[in-house]
Amino acid sequence: MHVHHLPLAHQTTLGRAVDASKYRVVVGEADPRWTLHEAPPKDGTEWTGVWGWFWPTFSINIFGQGWAIERWLPRSH
């Protein structure tokens, strides 16, 4: 999925910087509601960022240009 999502949805810096074909999702062992999303950079540098998601409505994104915290508020079931 991410092979198609990243280049289309993130055509700017992120889509060009990471190798979407090596994108991986790691599910938390102690708490499976946590997932970490990782993608290696195309240029061979060590780190591009980490994207964490806590089910169902919270994520934190840390990347070279900054960070973001997101919270979603469902409108209905």
Side-chain angles (χ1 to χ4, degrees):
M1 175 179 119
H2 298 289
V3 174
H4 304 291
H5 168 81
L6 286 172
L8 294 173
H10 302 284
Q11 294 180 11
T12 58
T13 307
L14 181 63
R16 289 188 300 251
V18 301
D19 183 351
S21 69
K22 295 180 181 165
Y23 192 102
R24 70 182 210 136
V25 177
V26 179
V27 178
E29 290 181 29
D31 188 343
R33 293 176 296 172
W34 272 106
T35 61
L36 293 177
H37 302 245
E38 303 169 341
K42 287 180 181 176
D43 66 4
T45 57
E46 287 188 31
W47 187 78
T48 54
V50 64
W51 301 269
W53 183 52
F54 185 73
W55 186 88
T57 62
F58 176 79
S59 76
I60 184 166
N61 309 305
I62 303 168
F63 43 91
Q65 295 81 21
W67 57 275
I69 294 176
E70 301 172 86
R71 182 174 172 226
W72 304 283
L73 300 174
R75 294 183 179 193
S76 68
H77 64 284

